[in-house]
Each structure stands twice: as structure tokens, then as C-alpha cells.
Amino acid sequence: MTDSDTDSKDSSAGPASSNFIRHMIAQDLAEGKHGGRVHTRFPPEPNGYLHIGHAKSICLNFTVAAENEGLCNLRFDDTNPEKESQEYVDAIKENINWLGFHWHGEVRYSSNYFSELYEFAVQLIGRSCAFVCSLSAQESREYRGSLTEPGRNSPDRERSVAENLDLFARMKAGEFEDGAYSLRAKIDMASPNINMRDPVLYRIRHIEHHQTGSEWCIYPTYDYSHCISDAIENITHSLCTLEFEDHRPLYNWILQHLDIHSLRAASDLADSDLDYVLPQQTEFAKLRLNYTMMGKRNLREMVESGVVSGWDDPRMPTLAGMRRRGFTPASIRNFCESIGVARSDSVVDMAMLEHAIRDDLDKVAPRAMCVLNPLKVTLSNIEAGHVESLSMANHPKDEAMGRRQVALTREIVIDRADFEEQPAAGFKRLRPGGEVRLRGAYVMRCDEVVKDDAGKVVELVCSVDKATLGKKPEGRKVKGVVHWVSADLGVKVSVRLYDRLFNVENPEAKDVADYRACLNPDSIVELSDCMLEAAAVGESAASSFQFEREGYFCLDVADSRAGKPVFNRTITLRDSWSD
RNA sequence: UGGGGUGUAGCCAAGUGGUAAGGCACAAGGUUUUGAUCCUUGCAUGCGUUGGUUCGAAUCCAGCCACCCCAGCCA
């Protein structure tokens, strides 16, 4: 086991699939490029909750390290205190642990390195590679030029080293107000790559930081801090998403313009005799899922506007939401492995995710019977008060999951959808005069349909064939099987049926003016009169079940109350019949 | 119209000069006391496109087309 190993083996995970990052690392290892080390990092900014897209990156970074006896750090990229908070730090750590990954050593923060980052900035100034600029944000935008036109040099670009040093020290000391000055790299205002047009390295922000409090009033930018943080942590492979590709020249420029000996001295490996090698950035395509919004800004918007109940609403693509929905860590890891890692923009079909969770839950979730829309059935040839205890397997293929007792009584409930007075062709369930198998029990015949004044079916009077317990009926075939629960001995529960949040494939598409117009009005349907078999509730009950013939459900711990459990539908069963 | 990328089936994706893996989805059978699971079979004479090189090209070369990213003191 290494630090980056996962908690459990994924029994269902096939062999690791080939991808360009695995190839690259194998080749780097073969060439001894980083002294045989593989050290990755997952660098979230604590400005929101992790979502399934982050899971792809987490799985990539941690598994690629584990596969090569390497290490993976967790580093909060916390250089913009304005948008960040401890709440997010805590949630992110918990999500990663829940997924089953363990970062190497202590949690890191870019803010851990603020002192080093400052000293390296002083070094860049000393080397005439950076200068203090007095242009406002607006002015600097004008000076930057455009996609097709080169920019112009800042009037401060040739400020003396001494003056730059003095100004930068005073920036740090808090002498200036926000925006009065910035520290910029001195690269090339005519570069076709706009990121190289003297990018800002430090900005003044008189604001409290969740980790460093009021110690600093200047904060480094992403481009400046990320590469140096990687170098300090001796990261070998810095994996990020495609939009940072244009930043790679800057990533390399900063590291190459710093004294490698001082970089080494500031790094975790300062005292080792390993070769000091600069980290290399490699980009891959981020995950996109259809019928889903992944933009942090949009997710936050949905939470704040109350479109969903919170970051952990079971309809959210956040890890917190998916967990509450009933997704297992293994299902998410398997999904991330199954989608691959490549450089082409792609949109993964939701069906892939649904397959991953069904695949895992089919194996691990015990079965139970729960009637969602109860219809009373009186079994005329079972005495009132009689309780027949039937033994049922918790899993049809896994005896190790044990058995449970299920009570059959005179009055039971079945689902309304399992009875039709005038069924369409192919209907295998109950009809007047027809027979159906009560799952795990007897074959039952419908003798009488009881209706109310409005003509609504309110009860069925049926009789069971007592010769059919564990046996096929004689002289006829009964195709349909129906789940049921004792009306007296079952437990009343609430069940939330979840469906996709959006009814368009891409709610973030440019031609969608407002995602609110694309919300699926049936993304949550709450049923409060469901009847669940008693064995499925209580202290020792499992948290996830397959409610037979319906789908996979999990107990909602947050909203369940004593005597009134609430279950969330994780996903339906595949249904080749379709209602 | 500058720079950086990407195009293999409905979706994801392997493939790195020797004749198109795999998964999802879908379809058809079989098993089944879950219309589930499981099993079997089918599903690209074709790799954005047009040319070229080669005995041989998804792989190499050239042109063209489409789409994505970049002008935050966000990450």
C-alpha cells in the first residue's frame, strides 16, 4: 500500500485502460526522467463543492500515482481569498476521503508558500524579469492589445530594479490600496500568446484569508503560484485541463527564470540527494455530461436561488449530492475509469454514469420489497390475524448476503401499476380473473375488483394457490411476478423519485438564454404513502437497497425522522417494458 | 482575422505503417419467482475532407473544412 492507494479493490473494474497519460508516464519512467518518481497532486480551489468533473481529475491523479508506486498530494489552490472559504476546504477533504483516496502527508495549501512565493518574486525582480506596474486594471486591459493586435509596453516596464524592490516591499507592507499597483512578469507584450504579455504575478487585496488571516495584503495569481507550488512539492506530473494549455509556456517561463538551486532549496526534497527536476504540465479534456450543468458559477447559482435544496441536493452533480442520492464511491471510480482520458472535447452520455451505479449496486445492494403506490389486496383464503413468515434471499445470486423473514398477511398492498382492468397486449401483471406470482410467495388470482363511487379501483379481492409456495403452478404458466408488502406489518415510508434536473442535453449551451427554462419539472416526485417491508428499516438495516422491480434506493439520513424514514431513488432498474 | 488545440459508430474510446480493441446505447435470441441481473449474437469495407508518399495509410506529408480554448489584478 502506498499513500495514494485506494481503500478497496474495485471488483468490477476491468483492466486499466490505455490512455495518453499512462503512456507518457510509462515512457518517462523508462527514460528515468524524474529519477523514477511519479508525484501528482489534486489542486482544487476551495471556492465551491467538488462535482463529478473533479472526480475525474481526482481519480486520474491518485490512480496514476498509485499504479506507479508514486504519491499524490492534496493542495488547496487558495490564492484568491475573495471567493474561498473554510467550509469548502472541509467539504472537499471529506469528499476525497469518501471516494476512497488518501493524499500523501499533510494537506497542502498554496498559502503555505506565500513567504517562498514572495522571495521568488523578489528574485525575479532582481533578475529584471518582473516589475511593479501602476496601470489600473482597465488601463492594463487597453495595453494588452487584442487577439490580432500586439500589446504595448507598460510605461513602468523599465523601472529600475531598486525602485521595483522598494515598491514591491511597500505593496507587501500595505502602503497602497487595492489595485494601485501590481507585480508583472517582463516577457513580451507582442507575444501571440496573450498569457505571455507581461502577466500579473501579484495583486493587492486588503482582505482576510481563510488560512493566513490578515498576514498578507498581496496575493499571487494562479499562473505565478501554481508552477512554483508544484516545484516546491516536487511534483513530477502536473495534470490539468485543456484550457490551461496556453498557460504552459508561462508555467515553464517562470520556473526557468528562477534560480534552480533556490527552487530546490525551497522544495520538500531539499535535503535528499535526488536530482532536482522541474515539474511538467500535461493537459487533458475535462468531463462533460449531458443533461448536466457543471460550471461552478451555475451550480452556486442554483444553490443560492433555491432551485435545489443545497450543494448536496440529490439532483446535483456534486459529490455531496451524488452521495446523498446513493451513488457509491466504487461506482464513481469505475465510471471515471470507463470514460477514459483524452484530449478531445467530448460529452459523456448520462447512460454511462447510470450504468456504473446500477452495475455496482446490483452486486452490493440487498433486495427488499417496497410498494410505491399502494393498492389494497385482500387475500380471501388467508385468515385474518394469521401471519405467515416467509424466508427470502437478500440477493438472488449471493447467498453470503443472507436471508430475511417477510410477513404475509390477509391484507397486503401491491403497486397500482401492477394491475390493469384492460391491459394492453404484452402486459404480464395482474388483470381481473388473472394470476400473478407474489414474489417469494404464492401465485395469486384476482377474483374481484372493488371500486368506489367514482369508479376508481380501491381494492382487489384475490385468493392464493397454496400449492405454489416455492413451486410452479400445475397446468398453467404464470408469467408475471409482483412485489408486495403486508398492509399491517409493513412500514410506511416516504420515497423521493429523482430524475434528471434538465430536459435539454446541454443546459449551458450558448443558445440557452436561461437554464431555468430547461428545468425538468418532474426532477423530484415525492411519494409519502409507500409501504416498505419491516426488515428494511431499523438500526441494522443497510443504507442502500434494491427495491425489487423498482430500482435502487437509499435512506436519506438528513431528512428521515423517527418513525418516518425517507428514501431517495438513486436510479431505476433498466426497463425493457416501459410503462 | 493572431495563437493554442481537437476531429475514429448515436455516446465515450483504443489504435503510434501491416489491413478498425473495448465499454455505453440500441436490436434480436436464451435463462429467470425482479419485464432486473446473467448469457449469446448483431451493430464502422470505415477513421472530418481532398490529394500525395508507400507493396500497404486511421497512422507519414500537403491543402481544405468543422468545432473548442485564450484579450480577469479568476482558477
Side-chain angles (χ1 to χ4, degrees):
Chain A
M1 284 285 267
T2 69
D3 285 281
S4 306
D5 237 339
T6 59
D7 268 346
S8 56
K9 307 289 166 278
D10 295 339
S11 52
S12 63
S17 60
S18 171
N19 67 50
F20 78 100
I21 288 177
R22 285 189 165 117
H23 278 298
M24 170 187 69
I25 289 178
Q27 194 174 342
D28 289 348
L29 249 20
E31 293 170 0
K33 194 164 179 177
H34 299 276
R37 292 189 306 116
V38 173
H39 200 152
T40 57
R41 102 270 90 117
F42 173 61
E45 184 191 12
N47 67 345
Y49 278 63
L50 257 27
H51 54 64
I52 183 70
H54 294 108
K56 174 180 180 179
S57 175
I58 293 169
C59 291
L60 210 215
N61 278 291
F62 280 93
T63 62
V64 107
E67 285 167 4
N68 295 286
E69 288 82 49
L71 304 168
C72 181
N73 290 1
L74 168 62
R75 178 170 75 234
F76 286 99
D77 209 343
D78 56 349
T79 58
N80 183 12
E82 215 169 335
K83 297 178 175 174
E84 302 160 3
S85 78
Q86 187 63 39
E87 176 199 354
Y88 297 131
V89 169
D90 296 337
I92 289 169
K93 286 195 284 193
E94 189 185 77
N95 286 162
I96 296 170
N97 284 144
W98 174 72
L99 272 181
F101 294 109
H102 306 290
W103 51 85
H104 170 61
E106 296 297 304
V107 173
R108 313 303 183 96
Y109 296 84
S110 294
S111 57
N112 286 346
Y113 314 133
F114 279 173
S115 296
E116 287 84 348
L117 258 3
Y118 179 82
E119 290 306 322
F120 284 124
V122 167
Q123 187 182 122
L124 284 180
I125 293 171
R127 295 181 157 203
S128 292
C129 290
F131 65 98
V132 173
C133 180
S134 61
L135 254 28
S136 69
Q138 169 65 26
E139 290 166 328
S140 109
R141 191 173 309 128
E142 287 158 13
Y143 272 74
R144 192 155 32 233
S146 73
L147 294 179
T148 51
E149 296 160 331
R152 286 139 50 215
N153 285 168
S154 160
D156 300 326
R157 202 170 195 265
E158 299 311 321
R159 206 193 286 279
S160 72
V161 167
E163 197 180 346
N164 281 323
L165 252 16
D166 174 62
L167 250 14
F168 188 49
R170 291 165 62 195
M171 280 169 64
K172 181 192 177 212
E175 286 190 30
F176 312 118
E177 54 189 39
D178 289 7
Y181 289 100
S182 65
L183 182 74
R184 298 174 64 183
K186 198 190 281 191
I187 308 180
D188 178 10
M189 289 306 290
S191 172
N193 180 347
I194 292 178
N195 296 120
M196 299 298 268
R197 317 241 263 228
D198 293 4
V200 170
L201 267 23
Y202 267 93
R203 68 282 221 194
I204 300 172
R205 287 281 181 282
H206 291 272
I207 183 174
E208 289 263 319
H209 186 285
H210 51 102
Q211 301 302 316
T212 61
S214 52
E215 192 182 343
W216 295 86
C217 64
I218 56 172
Y219 292 99
T221 56
Y222 163 84
D223 285 310
Y224 179 66
S225 67
H226 204 92
C227 52
I228 296 176
S229 300
D230 281 344
I232 287 174
E233 294 177 17
N234 301 98
I235 298 305
T236 57
H237 300 271
S238 183
L239 310 178
C240 63
T241 46
L242 252 24
E243 68 268 29
F244 293 102
E245 193 155 20
D246 289 343
H247 295 240
R248 192 170 65 219
L250 178 53
Y251 182 105
N252 292 332
W253 186 94
I254 291 169
L255 293 180
Q256 282 159 9
H257 287 259
L258 253 14
D259 172 46
I260 192 155
H261 301 292
S262 54
L263 231 25
R264 185 200 167 105
S267 83
D268 291 357
L269 259 31
D271 300 325
S272 83
D273 49 9
L274 290 167
D275 284 343
Y276 187 72
V277 187
L278 261 16
Q280 70 179 56
Q281 174 180 310
T282 303
E283 312 82 20
F284 62 92
K286 63 156 59 98
L287 169 66
R288 298 211 292 148
L289 253 189
N290 59 12
Y291 299 101
T292 307
M293 287 205 311
M294 218 82 94
K296 264 191 195 175
R297 216 197 64 204
N298 287 331
L299 294 180
R300 183 197 313 283
E301 220 285 314
M302 283 198 291
V303 172
E304 287 171 356
S305 67
V307 166
V308 293
S309 65
W311 287 98
D312 68 344
D313 186 297
R315 293 166 295 180
M316 291 282 272
T318 52
L319 293 181
M322 293 174 74
R323 177 181 187 175
R324 194 168 168 195
R325 175 78 170 256
F327 277 80
T328 58
S331 71
I332 292 173
R333 283 189 251 123
N334 291 164
F335 168 73
C336 289
E337 182 61 38
S338 76
I339 57 175
V341 180
R343 289 176 59 86
S344 58
D345 295 303
S346 58
V347 181
V348 173
D349 196 319
M350 186 61 109
M352 295 267 264
L353 219 208
E354 295 178 344
H355 170 78
I357 186 58
R358 286 191 184 109
D359 191 50
D360 190 45
L361 255 14
D362 176 55
K363 283 182 298 230
V364 305
R367 314 285 121 127
M369 292 193 291
C370 182
V371 174
L372 268 22
N373 300 291
L375 171 61
K376 180 180 170 187
V377 174
T378 298
L379 300 173
S380 58
N381 58 342
I382 288 184
E383 274 177 50
H386 177 70
V387 177
E388 182 161 354
S389 186
L390 300 163
S391 171
M392 291 183 69
N394 288 329
H395 194 283
K397 293 192 207 174
D398 187 358
E399 274 304 325
M401 290 182 73
R403 306 184 72 81
R404 67 189 189 283
Q405 297 301 124
V406 181
L408 177 67
T409 55
R410 178 178 171 88
E411 290 190 356
I412 62 172
V413 289
I414 66 170
D415 201 281
R416 287 193 166 272
D418 285 333
F419 173 78
E420 283 289 350
E421 277 197 283
Q422 292 172 315
F427 187 78
K428 298 205 305 198
R429 285 106 93 150
L430 196 61
R431 65 184 73 198
E435 283 186 308
V436 83
R437 163 75 67 177
L438 289 177
R439 167 116 254 233
Y442 304 97
V443 166
M444 163 181 93
R445 188 181 62 233
C446 176
D447 300 317
E448 190 186 339
V449 179
V450 182
K451 298 181 184 177
D452 64 12
D453 295 342
K456 185 187 176 194
V457 176
V458 293
E459 181 187 346
L460 264 22
V461 179
C462 301
S463 52
V464 298
D465 179 345
K466 295 197 171 168
T468 58
L469 187 60
K471 294 193 196 76
K472 293 203 189 308
E474 286 196 17
R476 70 222 126 110
K477 272 194 179 146
V478 174
K479 273 192 174 173
V481 179
V482 144
H483 58 289
W484 55 276
V485 174
S486 163
D488 314 305
L489 301 174
V491 177
K492 219 174 203 192
V493 300
S494 279
V495 171
R496 294 170 181 151
L497 306 179
Y498 290 109
D499 198 356
R500 60 174 58 127
L501 237 191
F502 298 98
N503 49 30
V504 297
E505 283 212 29
N506 182 7
E508 289 175 313
K510 292 190 189 85
D511 61 342
V512 174
D514 185 354
Y515 70 81
R516 259 165 279 247
C518 312
L519 286 166
N520 173 9
D522 301 318
S523 63
I524 176 170
V525 173
E526 182 146 7
L527 305 174
S528 51
D529 290 311
C530 310
M531 193 65 87
L532 174 62
E533 63 173 86
V537 292
E539 299 270 308
S540 58
S543 54
S544 270
F545 289 94
Q546 182 197 103
F547 288 168
E548 291 200 77
R549 303 209 312 131
E550 293 290 357
Y552 298 95
F553 297 75
C554 72
L555 186 70
D556 189 302
V557 178
D559 288 342
S560 289
R561 295 287 173 271
K564 190 70 183 194
V566 177
F567 285 85
N568 295 329
R569 183 173 70 193
T570 309
I571 186 73
T572 61
L573 250 29
R574 282 187 70 213
D575 184 4
S576 54
W577 165 244
S578 83
D579 284 2

